[in-house]
């Protein structure tokens, strides 16, 4: 499993050379123009969110006069950012999807599955476009309290965003070199839809067996054949609600809006952008340089540096992909020069990605706070030690594997050199501590502190490191919008599915089963850990949290497990699944970033995953590690 991230130019059929004024060439020109017309406002919306939230922080803490309209305006702009970002991700084929089966297929079957995935997205958009319009039309009559404008301005983002996805889907299907693939995929999609409609009378008599049919078999079939996870969730939820219940189809859109509109989720795009900033300004390089001068001369030293650097950088960016992209290119060339094997490098990089999932301001922590109501401040406080425990278990394995490493050719840096690299790194090292302190001490919220971090990083890049490439700013803003849109669309679709599961009575059944597990609280934690390792590898982390968090957290409280302790166990277990081959999406992201073939790391990663499991067991059996400082 991996994130299939390609540009529009790399989508199937785009590689064929077409004459300048052929039909395909005209379609690509239209696609390119429309792409810019969507990307530019999406990038501007990221910038606008930063300005609006920063203005609120300055007004409240600088002038002691809060802007009562800032959060409302930020919320209005946020839904537009989420939907336009999802459109950009759709056009670029950057929505998260599982491609294990697709990759193993022959060229012809692979092309058909790619086309079928596009058709599945098209069908979902067509189904929910009119309900989205109805939802926006109803919101016109709701007035916002502070700005006193119609909420329809915000809700209009849903039908417009879905409409743009429809346009890009049609353009991409028309651009296919082999029209027979398009016809075949459309025929299959329409046939499945028609078959389900014909079976509606039977489906309504099956009761909760429909949960197995739609949310296990249906979602499983869609995900494993390469349909983006957000559309797989959305299609299954829409089909279940419209074919087996009396709920109107507009409920799907309403739940999507609810899932994507939590103000705390604003931290997602801001921390993604912050992660890109620290790489561009040289802050990550400065931190890694200091750690390398401190530990690079000891056996396995650069491996320790990799673990430590990921721990520090995770406190800044909140994005695992950004963390790995900031650290790997700095360390890997020197580690290879010292004889480290490529497989071991990508294996440890993946393991450190799993290890740092609980380190604030992790996007997963923010998501848990959003969907379960657990205090984000408490999560940020509780996340530091569990990550450190896993770092220690990884370092213990590194020590064992590299205890006989020959470093006779490596010179030990002088204290002067170490001191100089430390002075250079101070502004960069200070940022994660500033972010954590500001949130934990209540100076600013997780969303607000990200804007402070962005301003800090910009000033540090311009004034301290003198490294700020203005030409990279626009692509970074577009990348932020695209990644954020992909994440938020999953959260919206998963919120709809979670609501459907709750309404069916599944949550009550699950609660009874989980409460009856032997072993009490420990048994519940162990079963949850195993479940989220599996879910993290198949569904990817955020949708797994959004789907099952609201169901399982109340059960955790009822059996006596502290909600922060449970959060840490769930996140670490999910991280292990997320970065473990053969399905873990994070593992393939690490391979792509380090430019190492996935096969190379499969064997070395087994030991690191076992070390992470040992660390997870320690966190499970010692709750103080998670809640000792609350």
């Amino acid at each position: 499993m991996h994130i299939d991230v390609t540009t529009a130019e790399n989508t199937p059929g785009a590689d064929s050379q077409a004459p300048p004024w052929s039909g395909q060439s005209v379609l690509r020109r239209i696609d390119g123009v429309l792409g810019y017309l969507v990307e530019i406002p999406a990038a501007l919306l990221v910038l606008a969110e930063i300005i609006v939230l920063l203005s609120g922080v300055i007004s409240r803490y600088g002038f002691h006069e809060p802007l009562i309209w800032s959060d409302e305006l930020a919320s209005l702009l946020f839904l537009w950012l989420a939907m336009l970002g999802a459109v950009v991700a759709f056009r670029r084929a950057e929505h998260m999807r599982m491609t294990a089966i697709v990759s193993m297929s022959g060229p012809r079957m692979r092309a058909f599955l790619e086309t079928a995935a596009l058709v599945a997205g098209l069908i979902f958009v067509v189904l929910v476009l009119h309900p989205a319009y109805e939802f926006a039309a109803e919101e016109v009559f709701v007035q916002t309290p502070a700005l006193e404008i119609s909420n329809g301005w915000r809700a209009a983002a849903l039908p417009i965003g879905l409409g743009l996805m429809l346009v890009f889907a049609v353009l991409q299907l028309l651009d296919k070199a082999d029209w027979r693939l398009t016809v075949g995929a459309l025929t299959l999609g329409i046939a499945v839809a028609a078959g389900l409609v014909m079976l509606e009378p039977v489906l309504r008599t099956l009761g909760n067996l429909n949960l197995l049919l739609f949310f296990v078999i249906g979602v499983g079939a869609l995900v494993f054949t390469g349909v983006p996870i957000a559309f797989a969730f959305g299609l299954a939820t829409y089909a279940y609600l419209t074919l087996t219940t009396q709920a109107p189809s507009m409920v799907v859109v309403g739940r999507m809006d609810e899932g994507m509109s939590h103000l705390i989720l604003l931290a997602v795009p801001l921390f993604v952008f912050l992660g890109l900033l620290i790489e561009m300004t040289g802050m990550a390089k400065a931190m890694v340089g200091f750690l390398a001068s401190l530990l690079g001369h000891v056996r396995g030293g650069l491996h320790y540096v990799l673990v430590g650097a990921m721990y520090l950088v995770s406190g800044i960016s909140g994005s695992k992909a950004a963390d790995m992209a900031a650290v790997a290119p700095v360390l890997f060339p020197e580690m290879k020069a010292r004889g480290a094997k490529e497989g071991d490098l990508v294996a440890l990089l993946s393991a450190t990605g799993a290890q740092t999932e609980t380190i604030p301001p992790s996007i997963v922590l923010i998501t848990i706070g959003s969907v379960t109501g657990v205090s984000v401040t408490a999560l940020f406080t509780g996340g530091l030690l569990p990550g450190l425990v896993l770092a220690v278990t990884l370092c213990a394995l590194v020590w064992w594997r590299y205890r006989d490493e020959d470093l006779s050719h490596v010179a030990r840096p002088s204290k002067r050199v170490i001191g100089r690299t430390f002075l250079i790194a101070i502004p960069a090292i200070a940022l994660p501590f500033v972010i954590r302190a500001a949130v934990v001490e209540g100076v600013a919220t997780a969303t607000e502190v990200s804007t402070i971090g962005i301003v800090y990083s910009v000033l540090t890049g311009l004034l301290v490191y003198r490294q700020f490439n203005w030409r990279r700013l626009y692509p970074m803003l577009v990348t932020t919008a695209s990644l954020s849109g992909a994440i938020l669309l999953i959260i919206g679709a998963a919120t709809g599915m979670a609501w459907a599961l709750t309404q069916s009575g599944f949550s009550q059944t699950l609660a009874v089963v989980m409460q009856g597990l032997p072993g009490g609280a420990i048994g519940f934690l162990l079963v949850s850990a195993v479940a989220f390792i599996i879910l993290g590898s198949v569904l990817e982390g955020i949708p797994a949290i959004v789907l099952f968090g609201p169901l399982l957290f109340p059960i955790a409280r009822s059996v006596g497990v502290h909600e922060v302790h449970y959060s840490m166990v769930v996140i670490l277990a999910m991280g292990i699944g997320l970065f473990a081959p053969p399905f873990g999406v994070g593992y393939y992201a690490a391979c792509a970033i380090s430019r190492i073939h996935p096969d190379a790391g499969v064997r070395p990663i087994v030991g690191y995953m076992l070390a992470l499991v040992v660390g997870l067991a320690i966190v499970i059996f010692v709750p103080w590690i998670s809640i000792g400082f609350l």
Side-chain angles (χ1 to χ4, degrees):
M1 178 177 182
H2 71 287
I3 298 177
D4 187 36
V5 181
T6 54
T7 61
E9 290 74 21
N10 291 330
T11 53
D15 56 343
S16 58
Q17 297 296 322
W21 296 108
S22 69
Q24 284 187 329
S25 178
V26 171
L27 288 172
R28 290 172 197 169
R29 288 172 184 268
I30 295 173
D31 179 88
V33 171
L34 288 177
Y36 278 116
L37 292 178
V38 174
E39 287 179 358
I40 291 172
L44 292 175
L45 282 167
V46 176
L47 205 56
E49 292 286 19
I50 295 170
I51 294 171
V52 169
L53 291 171
L54 184 63
S55 299
V57 174
I58 294 173
S59 177
R60 182 160 63 252
Y61 297 111
F63 300 101
H64 304 289
E65 293 183 5
L67 300 176
I68 59 174
W69 50 264
S70 61
D71 283 352
E72 200 169 279
L73 178 59
S75 177
L76 187 153
L77 297 176
F78 183 49
L79 187 59
W80 280 96
L81 169 59
M83 290 307 299
L84 291 184
V87 174
V88 174
F90 186 87
R91 176 178 175 266
R92 294 182 168 195
E94 290 180 354
H95 280 285
M96 297 177 187
R97 56 196 291 252
M98 179 177 177
T99 57
I101 293 177
V102 177
S103 300
M104 291 187 295
S105 304
R108 186 72 179 172
M109 179 57 70
R110 186 184 306 124
F112 177 76
L113 291 175
E114 294 284 358
T115 306
L118 182 58
V119 167
L122 172 67
I123 291 173
F124 173 72
V125 169
V126 169
L127 289 174
V128 298
L129 186 55
H130 187 260
Y133 170 77
E134 290 182 324
F135 178 80
E138 288 193 1
E139 291 295 304
V140 168
F141 303 103
V142 179
Q143 190 176 58
T144 61
L147 294 174
E148 297 184 347
I149 62 174
S150 169
N151 200 45
W153 289 104
R154 187 190 70 86
L158 290 162
I160 290 176
L162 291 167
L164 288 168
M165 287 188 210
L166 175 61
V167 171
F168 283 118
V170 171
L171 287 173
Q172 290 178 24
L173 286 173
L174 291 175
D175 189 37
K176 292 290 179 184
D178 190 341
W179 60 269
R180 288 170 297 183
L181 293 176
T182 300
V183 172
L186 284 170
T187 302
L188 176 63
I190 294 171
V192 171
L196 287 173
V197 170
M198 293 175 62
L199 288 172
E200 180 179 355
V202 177
L203 293 173
R204 290 187 180 275
T205 66
L206 297 180
N208 278 350
L209 284 176
N210 285 312
L211 299 178
L212 176 65
L213 178 63
F214 287 96
F215 296 131
V216 178
I217 298 174
V219 170
L222 291 169
V223 170
F224 278 95
T225 52
V227 175
I229 293 172
F231 298 126
F233 284 3
L235 282 169
T237 304
Y238 183 92
Y240 172 78
L241 290 177
T242 56
L243 296 176
T244 70
T245 74
Q246 301 299 322
S249 57
M250 196 170 65
V251 169
V252 178
V253 179
R255 297 287 76 79
M256 285 178 62
D257 174 64
E258 178 187 342
M260 299 167 70
S261 297
H262 288 291
L263 199 58
I264 192 173
L265 292 175
L266 252 176
V268 172
L270 300 184
F271 277 119
V272 169
F273 183 65
L274 180 56
L276 297 173
L277 264 181
I278 65 160
E279 185 274 327
M280 189 258 278
T281 56
M283 295 175 68
K285 187 175 182 179
M287 280 190 289
V288 173
F290 166 64
L291 292 174
S293 70
L294 200 63
L295 297 170
H297 59 280
V298 303
R299 290 186 176 90
L302 291 183
H303 293 73
Y304 299 135
V305 171
L306 178 59
V307 175
M310 285 290 287
Y311 189 95
L312 282 176
V313 172
S314 289
I316 302 174
S317 72
S319 165
K320 294 285 95 60
D323 299 342
M324 294 187 291
V327 172
V330 180
L331 279 177
F332 277 18
E334 178 61 25
M335 295 173 80
K336 289 178 182 178
R338 294 189 182 190
K341 296 179 180 179
E342 285 190 340
D344 193 57
L345 294 182
V346 75
L348 182 58
L349 182 64
S350 297
T352 55
Q355 163 232 327
T356 54
E357 282 286 283
T358 67
I359 298 170
S362 164
I363 290 174
V364 180
L365 287 177
I366 296 167
T367 303
I368 279 189
S370 170
V371 301
T372 66
V374 180
S375 164
V376 174
T377 300
L379 291 170
F380 277 23
T381 304
L384 291 171
L385 273 186
L388 189 60
V389 168
L390 267 65
V392 170
T393 60
L394 288 176
C395 288
L397 181 57
V398 167
W399 173 83
W400 175 260
R401 285 186 170 179
Y402 288 89
R403 64 191 185 281
D404 297 323
E405 184 182 15
D406 180 15
L407 294 180
S408 57
H409 60 288
V410 178
R412 181 170 185 167
S414 64
K415 293 181 179 179
R416 184 176 180 180
V417 171
I418 295 174
R420 186 169 68 249
T421 58
F422 175 66
L423 289 174
I424 293 172
I426 284 177
I429 293 175
L431 180 55
F433 295 100
V434 169
I435 287 177
R436 290 163 182 153
V439 175
V440 172
E441 297 298 325
V443 175
T445 66
T447 304
E448 293 170 337
V449 80
S450 60
T451 64
I452 297 171
I454 288 170
V455 173
Y456 180 95
S457 299
V458 170
L459 294 177
T460 302
L462 289 171
L463 304 178
V464 179
Y465 296 116
R466 306 291 179 89
Q467 185 174 328
F468 198 94
N469 188 345
W470 290 97
R471 291 183 178 180
R472 289 183 60 186
L473 194 58
Y474 172 73
M476 286 165 53
L477 290 168
V478 174
T479 298
T480 299
S482 176
L483 179 58
S484 302
I487 291 172
L488 293 167
L489 190 64
I490 284 179
I491 292 176
T495 301
M497 188 186 293
W499 182 86
L501 289 171
T502 301
Q503 295 302 307
S504 70
F506 172 77
S507 56
Q508 289 82 0
T509 304
L510 180 66
V512 171
V513 173
M514 296 294 280
Q515 286 173 335
L517 290 172
I522 294 296
F524 175 73
L525 286 170
L526 291 173
V527 171
S528 295
V530 172
F532 272 94
I533 288 174
I534 297 170
L535 289 171
S537 66
V538 176
L539 287 182
E540 210 272 332
I542 289 175
I545 290 293
V546 178
L547 267 179
F548 293 97
L551 303 179
L552 294 177
F553 271 74
I555 304 172
R557 296 186 195 103
S558 69
V559 298
V561 178
H562 195 285
E563 56 192 8
V564 173
H565 180 211
Y566 189 61
S567 299
M568 298 306 128
V569 172
V570 162
I571 293 172
L572 291 175
M574 183 202 68
I576 292 173
L578 183 65
F579 284 88
F583 297 116
V585 60
Y587 175 71
Y588 295 100
C591 292
I593 288 166
S594 55
R595 294 182 172 84
I596 295 173
H597 195 279
D599 291 349
V602 171
R603 182 171 294 178
I605 202 173
V606 173
Y608 290 121
M609 286 295 145
L610 289 176
L612 292 176
V613 169
V614 170
L616 174 59
I618 294 171
V619 172
I620 288 175
F621 286 100
V622 186
W624 182 88
I625 294 171
S626 303
I627 62 177
F629 291 100
L630 298 182

